[in-house]
Amino acid sequence: MVCLPVSDEQLERAAALLRTGGIVAFPTETVYGLGAVAFDGLAVARIFEIKARPRFDPLIVHVADRQQLAQCVIDVPPVAERLIAAFWPGPLTLVLRKCEAIGSLLTGGLATVAVRMPSHPVARALLERTGSPIAAPSANPFGGLSPTRAEHVAAALGDRVDMILDGGPTEYGLESSIILIEPTPTLLRHGAIPVEQIEAVIGPVQRDIPPGSATLAPGRLPHHYAPHTPLRLIAPERVPMQERTEAASLAFRRVQSGYRAALSLSPSGDLRIAAAHLFDALHRLDAAGATRIDVEPVPESGLGSAIMDRLTRGSAR
Ligand code: TXA
Ligand code: MG
């Protein structure tokens, strides 16, 4: 028997809330999601309201199994099958042609739907008990830092959701990687599965969005994942001591001196650990009352690409 970080009663209450149109925040292996039954148009509309999310930005649908997947998509092309075999359940989202049952509010009017099968035991138990696919964006106000702990959700949206399931800190700390399957496999968002691993399964994937589809992955908006405090990407040795006193610092490996608050993502230089700490560290430094957060760039390979994607967007003004 799997031991879950939430009780049976909590899960039952969460599933009952979802089945009756409620909004439940829950942990996944990537970040916390803000969930509603995917086929419940009113509940889906509430998610957009709670997050103050623009209507053109579609949600990801979470499924427990192939049966729930079949309720969302028209078909699963061979390339998608190979990715499913390699990475599901896990942090890979596939964009496939949607079924009738998936409403156009959820997909921002697109003919496709983003789907993934999460591996987190609480997310899986919730999907099974609810008996329906669950639409869930990251549980943060639009454009803000993603939540990797239940406390982050409670602080930003606590009074606006019906329930928060606390599963502790999330494992990956970065959102899922997103691949558009047709017409050509295309990376829409760097995420918890490095693109190199995806390419090892299906060969080269396109990195640029096809022409005429700029709003295809609104997570690619230049300004996103931002703390309230201005973020600056800069090599630590370039910051004079007198510029440090009122600022905060997020280093990759070695904590920097002279700052009013300073954290390191991974003293050992491990990108996986750095990814897992990224959003929590930014949430903490954002609360430090600093004028600015100086962030040290990380190497741009493997998970480093996803970390740098979040930091670049977070620092764009
Ligand atoms: O790890 C994750 O993916 C988390 C957890 C909760 O599962 N969810 C998440 O959702 O990051 P959200 O809403 O923060 O990001 C979803 C991204 C957005 O950038 C959206 O534009 C894109 O997925 N997306 C959703 N449906 C799409 C579609 N049909 N075509 C292209 N992009 C889509
Ligand atoms: Mg998000």
Side-chain angles (χ1 to χ4, degrees):
M1 203 180 102
V2 193
C3 184
L4 294 179
V6 300
S7 71
D8 217 45
E9 293 74 44
Q10 285 173 315
L11 266 179
E12 207 38 65
R13 190 154 70 84
L17 278 167
L18 286 170
R19 284 193 299 261
T20 52
I23 308 293
V24 174
F26 63 97
T28 80
E29 68 277 22
T30 57
V31 301
Y32 276 73
L34 191 63
V37 164
F39 307 123
D40 183 336
L42 278 178
V44 167
R46 256 186 87 201
I47 288 186
F48 280 86
E49 270 165 39
I50 293 172
K51 278 189 64 111
R53 184 178 181 108
R55 295 290 168 122
F56 60 77
D57 193 358
L59 309 182
I60 293 179
V61 177
H62 299 67
V63 297
D65 48 33
R66 292 298 295 233
Q67 214 182 336
Q68 289 191 355
L69 176 65
Q71 293 171 13
C72 303
V73 305
I74 290 181
D75 60 356
V76 181
V79 173
E81 285 292 357
R82 275 150 63 200
L83 290 171
I84 288 172
F87 299 111
W88 280 12
L92 179 70
T93 294
L94 303 178
V95 174
L96 298 166
R97 286 196 297 152
K98 80 171 188 74
C99 280
E100 279 289 308
I102 297 289
S104 64
L105 173 61
L106 189 156
T107 66
L110 296 173
T112 53
V113 61
V115 277
R116 80 179 191 95
M117 191 185 287
S119 61
H120 195 292
V122 172
R124 298 189 61 76
L126 187 62
L127 283 162
E128 280 159 18
R129 295 218 186 187
T130 306
S132 160
I134 296 176
S138 53
N140 54 278
F142 182 72
L145 294 175
S146 297
T148 57
R149 294 172 179 268
E151 299 90 294
H152 299 157
V153 185
L157 302 173
D159 52 348
R160 281 174 272 170
V161 302
D162 297 310
M163 186 175 179
I164 301 172
L165 283 171
D166 186 350
T170 62
E171 181 189 349
Y172 289 90
L174 277 181
E175 297 83 352
S176 58
S177 308
I178 305 182
I179 298 281
L180 171 72
I181 297 297
E182 288 177 326
T184 317
T186 304
L187 180 72
L188 297 184
R189 177 173 74 184
H190 280 286
I193 297 187
V195 64
E196 295 87 340
Q197 285 184 27
I198 294 168
E199 291 186 322
V201 175
I202 57 167
V205 301
Q206 201 165 305
R207 314 271 174 111
D208 303 311
I209 301 193
S213 43
T215 58
L216 207 60
R220 296 174 68 121
L221 289 173
H223 180 71
H224 210 96
Y225 310 109
H228 300 289
T229 317
L231 204 70
R232 178 171 77 164
L233 261 173
I234 187 163
E237 61 275 11
R238 291 188 42 216
V239 186
M241 275 299 166
Q242 66 273 19
E243 275 189 25
R244 299 187 179 194
T245 43
E246 296 303 313
S249 157
L250 181 57
F252 174 38
R253 302 182 68 149
R254 202 165 54 85
V255 179
Q256 296 300 310
S257 61
Y259 284 96
R260 68 182 288 155
L263 293 171
S264 147
L265 284 177
S266 168
S268 63
D270 182 329
L271 285 170
R272 201 170 162 130
I273 294 173
H277 289 161
L278 178 70
F279 283 119
D280 189 46
L282 288 171
H283 276 284
R284 282 169 200 268
L285 294 176
D286 203 16
T291 51
R292 185 184 78 238
I293 305 172
D294 285 345
V295 187
E296 181 180 4
V298 306
E300 274 195 70
S301 61
L303 282 175
S305 306
I307 295 174
M308 285 302 286
D309 169 80
R310 306 303 185 271
L311 292 175
T312 308
R313 290 177 209 282
S315 57
R317 288 279 140 186

